[in-house]
Amino acid sequence: EDKVVQSPLSLVVHEGDTVTLNCSYEVTNFRSLLWYKQEKKAPTFLFMLTSSGIEKKSGRLSSILDKKELFSILNITATQTGDSAVYLCAVLSGNTPLVFGKGTRLSVIA
Amino acid sequence: EPEVTQTPSHQVTQMGQEVILRCVPISNHLYFYWYRQILGQKVEFLVSFYNNEISEKSEIFDDQFSVERPDGSNFTLKIRSTKLEDSAMYFCASSDLGSYNEQFFGPGTRLTVL
């Protein structure tokens, strides 16, 4: 059975801190890994990672994939209160749709 | 920017009743999905739909569930006889290149079964 595990489950930081969120996976026929940010309702897309070692960056957020060790990290630098959300990791394997992890709840305190 | 829309935002129903959740995917997308998220739990895949038929479904998607694309824009999820455990947030998503590409999610419908 395909499995996606995120850690930590929750995290509280102060504004300006840097955080690293982890996602490990065990799937057959891996295709890509996606990060989503879920605030109040719908997950919104952040990154899709397919190749190992290539960092994807968007502003203060960046992510990288390690296909040998089967994990990805999502980094957020200089955190702001608006970064408070649940960050979801999801994996595409074979022809199956997304398998999600439980998410990491990030709370950024002013 | 195009987006996926869902109605209603919140649906309250009695156990045993039928509900229909509606979604309007992004107009040029061809692949459609339903996911659900029970409160406090992870997002779970229900079903994917392409070319007017189900392409994949999970074990959650039993005979109580059905999907339909009744016209060129809407994509619906019907639950025939709701159970208490069907209470969840239901997300519709769509993509243009199947599950190999980014799926755009709608805002969700919160279903409460009493």
Side-chain angles (χ1 to χ4, degrees):
Chain A
E1 185 185 325
D2 294 344
K3 196 161 69 169
V4 177
V5 178
Q6 292 186 246
S7 64
L9 289 180
S10 67
L11 190 55
V12 181
V13 300
H14 289 95
E15 266 192 322
D17 288 350
T18 292
V19 296
T20 298
L21 310 183
N22 304 292
C23 176
S24 64
Y25 60 90
E26 287 177 33
V27 300
T28 52
N29 196 14
F30 172 88
R31 290 197 174 270
S32 58
L33 184 146
L34 293 85
W35 284 97
Y36 285 85
K37 179 182 181 182
Q38 186 177 28
E39 293 178 86
K40 290 185 181 155
K41 286 193 175 178
T44 52
F45 175 78
L46 295 175
F47 299 111
M48 183 162 78
L49 303 155
T50 308
S51 303
S52 241
I54 298 173
E55 186 184 51
K56 293 223 172 171
K57 205 166 165 61
S58 175
R60 296 176 294 103
L61 277 68
S62 63
S63 184
I64 198 160
L65 174 68
D66 185 328
K67 287 166 76 172
K68 187 179 170 192
E69 300 298 328
L70 308 183
F71 78 91
S72 172
I73 59 171
L74 174 69
N75 276 320
I76 309 174
T77 58
T79 50
Q80 302 170 358
T81 53
D83 295 327
S84 296
V86 176
Y87 290 83
L88 301 173
C89 173
V91 172
L92 275 169
S93 67
N95 288 315
T96 61
L98 296 171
V99 176
F100 282 86
K102 289 187 176 180
T104 292
R105 180 174 296 279
L106 175 65
S107 300
V108 182
I109 301 170
Chain B
E1 190 175 325
E3 58 182 18
V4 177
T5 59
Q6 289 184 242
T7 53
S9 57
H10 192 187
Q11 173 92 49
V12 181
T13 191
Q14 296 287 332
M15 193 168 58
Q17 295 295 305
E18 175 183 285
V19 294
I20 297 176
L21 310 183
R22 290 183 167 77
C23 169
V24 179
I26 292 173
S27 62
N28 62 337
H29 284 185
L30 301 175
Y31 296 81
F32 315 117
Y33 313 86
W34 283 102
Y35 292 84
R36 79 169 185 193
Q37 186 176 31
I38 294 171
L39 189 64
Q41 298 188 24
K42 62 182 179 181
V43 177
E44 300 172 292
F45 165 71
L46 291 177
V47 66
S48 59
F49 192 86
Y50 170 70
N51 200 25
N52 282 319
E53 60 182 29
I54 290 173
S55 48
E56 189 152 5
K57 59 183 181 179
S58 72
E59 57 207 27
I60 302 168
F61 193 87
D62 61 21
D63 292 343
Q64 297 279 58
F65 292 89
S66 62
V67 289
E68 196 177 32
R69 187 151 164 84
D71 54 45
S73 59
N74 289 285
F75 178 51
T76 61
L77 174 69
K78 183 193 289 185
I79 310 175
R80 260 178 271 282
S81 177
T82 49
K83 305 188 283 282
L84 295 176
E85 53 265 38
D86 294 327
S87 295
M89 183 72 95
Y90 288 81
F91 293 109
C92 173
S94 69
S95 66
D96 58 358
L97 290 173
S99 58
Y100 304 126
N101 207 9
E102 176 192 344
Q103 293 177 27
F104 290 82
F105 282 77
T109 292
R110 179 167 294 286
L111 176 65
T112 302
V113 182
L114 303 175

